Amino acid sequence: RPAAKPSRSVLIGFDDLPDVAHVRINVVAALFDCSETTVRRRVADGDIPAPRRVGGIPLWSAGTLRRDLLKR
């Protein structure tokens, strides 16, 4: 059974976030239009920037994600 893609509604307000803001994996999955499982695999493959872990939770910098998406 394929993993579910996240709702794009999590992207509401993403463009208004400062570059230093951090987002969770569900936002990354919506940005890259894939499942959270695929995000983890693509991070391991080096295709998506690696997150920072804060309190054990993987968090991505909004600015880093924006720059990565602009390169594509």
Side-chain angles (χ1 to χ4, degrees):
R1 179 174 170 193
K5 289 185 181 178
S7 168
R8 298 198 53 87
S9 66
V10 300
L11 296 178
I12 294 172
F14 179 80
D15 290 339
D16 298 326
L17 292 174
D19 283 348
V20 296
H22 288 94
V23 297
R24 292 178 180 244
I25 194 169
N26 62 324
V27 175
V28 178
L31 284 169
F32 287 88
D33 194 30
C34 63
S35 69
E36 292 181 13
T37 300
T38 300
V39 168
R40 289 182 194 94
R41 180 180 49 77
R42 290 175 69 183
V43 166
D45 291 346
D47 187 45
I48 292 178
R52 290 185 50 208
R53 290 202 173 266
V54 178
I57 299 170
L59 298 173
W60 283 260
S61 157
T64 299
L65 294 172
R66 286 185 189 114
R67 286 186 293 280
D68 186 74
L69 287 166
L70 285 173
K71 293 188 304 187
R72 294 175 186 268

